[in-house]
Amino acid sequence: MSDQKASKYYPAEEEAQMKKARKTVHPTKYRDSLAPGTVLILLSGRFRGKRVVLLRHLEQGVLLITGPFKSNGVPLRRVNHRFVIATSTVVDITGADDEVLDRVSKDEYWSREKKDGKGEDDFFKDGETPQKKETDPQRIEDQKKVDKALMANIKKVPELEGYLGASFSLRSNEKPHEMVF
């Protein structure tokens, strides 16, 4: 038999041990080509293939972008910098409302309201069509304020509005790593 005896005492609850963190958090290092005002091409998500304007870098490690909404339907959004391609086109973003951009840059602006769990009544209403979500009027106002300044600068450059409205796609023999944007 073995020299060690089994313990006669076993705790009722195991002591909680701290989970070992395997990765350390490093600050996001953006590419040099991602400067505010640069036109980007979105590579994933609902608006993939759209050309958008970079407004600023956020502390959360993401980029704040806009379409502008009037030209291509892309609202103010946060996007991970890994899912964009920077182009050589630059839009002048001076005149954009800094107060609005500061408010939009915070996490609280993007947090969703908590909704209650499905109750019994909601379970039986599944056959009905769901109601469309109403967009917060504050977000609509913020979008208009940012777009107003951007559109004024975009209209000064010939064909820039058409360029932003056109979507990007690849043909069968085109290779993105060989392209110059």
Side-chain angles (χ1 to χ4, degrees), residues 5-166:
K5 287 180 122 180
S7 175
K8 291 183 179 180
Y9 168 75
Y10 292 102
E13 294 177 13
E14 291 186 14
E15 295 173 16
Q17 293 181 349
M18 293 292 290
K19 190 174 183 181
K20 292 182 174 66
R22 294 195 177 123
K23 295 180 181 176
T24 56
V25 179
H26 299 288
T28 305
K29 186 175 185 306
Y30 295 103
R31 287 170 272 163
D32 294 335
S33 58
L34 297 176
T38 305
V39 174
L40 309 174
I41 298 170
L42 297 179
L43 298 177
S44 68
R46 180 176 170 201
F47 299 104
R48 70 181 149 277
K50 299 277 191 174
R51 293 182 173 105
V52 295
V53 179
L54 171 61
L55 297 174
R56 65 167 56 166
H57 302 242
L58 304 182
E59 308 89 49
Q60 302 95 347
V62 290
L63 307 171
L64 180 65
I65 55 132
T66 186
F69 189 78
K70 189 175 182 185
S71 67
N72 60 13
V74 181
L76 283 166
R77 287 179 73 88
R78 296 184 304 177
V79 176
N80 191 316
H81 69 103
R82 293 182 181 201
F83 301 113
V84 297
I85 295 175
T87 65
S88 57
T89 310
V90 178
V91 175
D92 182 24
I93 60 169
T94 55
D97 195 347
D98 285 333
E99 181 185 318
V100 172
L101 292 179
D102 289 339
R103 182 173 53 245
V104 172
S105 298
K106 295 188 175 94
D107 270 337
E108 296 84 44
Y109 187 84
W110 301 100
S111 62
R112 296 182 181 179
E113 310 89 31
K114 292 200 174 200
K115 58 181 181 180
D116 300 329
K118 278 193 165 186
E120 189 174 324
D121 297 335
D122 294 335
F123 178 78
F124 290 109
K125 290 182 183 176
D126 278 347
E128 299 173 16
T129 56
Q131 295 173 354
K132 189 176 179 185
K133 285 186 182 176
E134 289 291 323
T135 306
D136 184 19
Q138 179 65 47
R139 287 190 181 217
I140 295 171
E141 284 300 314
D142 292 344
Q143 184 71 53
K144 286 180 181 176
K145 285 179 184 175
V146 171
D147 281 2
K148 184 178 181 185
L150 270 180
M151 288 305 288
N153 292 336
I154 288 171
K155 288 186 178 181
K156 291 177 186 174
V157 180
E159 299 180 14
L160 184 56
E161 188 173 0
Y163 174 72
L164 288 171

